[in-house]
Amino acid sequence: MALQKDITTSNGIELKDAYIRVYGVDCATKDHALAKIGVQAAKDKPVVDQYVATFTLSLNGANAFAQAYEHIKTMPVFAGATDC
């Protein structure tokens, strides 16, 4: 699972159809998690930017990675990203 979107990285690099991937999810508590997000120019390219997001984890919901992807779609920097 990954996302795709045109994005300008935090250091000003403009990427068309950037590949956005959650690299890890750490559960801080039983209902809060931290997602580690990498942005790549393409699927097989190195990570050029990284983000961290915290979100409420539902123990009755989808797996933690699926919940992380749903959460990062709500972040302004990733708004409008599509599944790829």
Side-chain angles (χ1 to χ4, degrees):
M1 176 179 250
L3 301 176
Q4 194 168 25
K5 177 186 191 280
D6 293 349
I7 193 169
T8 301
T9 66
S10 59
N11 55 0
I13 299 170
E14 293 183 19
L15 300 173
K16 177 144 179 77
D17 296 326
Y19 188 79
I20 303 156
R21 188 173 132 199
V22 174
Y23 283 91
V25 176
D26 295 325
C27 296
T29 67
K30 68 177 185 173
D31 58 354
H32 285 90
L34 178 82
K36 298 171 193 164
I37 306 153
V39 176
Q40 300 164 244
K43 182 178 182 178
D44 298 327
K45 300 291 182 185
V47 172
V48 295
D49 208 357
Q50 296 180 16
Y51 296 84
V52 174
T54 58
F55 64 99
T56 301
L57 183 65
S58 170
L59 298 178
N60 297 321
N63 71 56
F65 277 86
Q67 291 182 54
Y69 278 106
E70 289 306 311
H71 172 74
I72 66 173
K73 288 180 190 178
T74 69
M75 296 171 61
V77 67
F78 301 119
T82 58
D83 295 332
C84 66

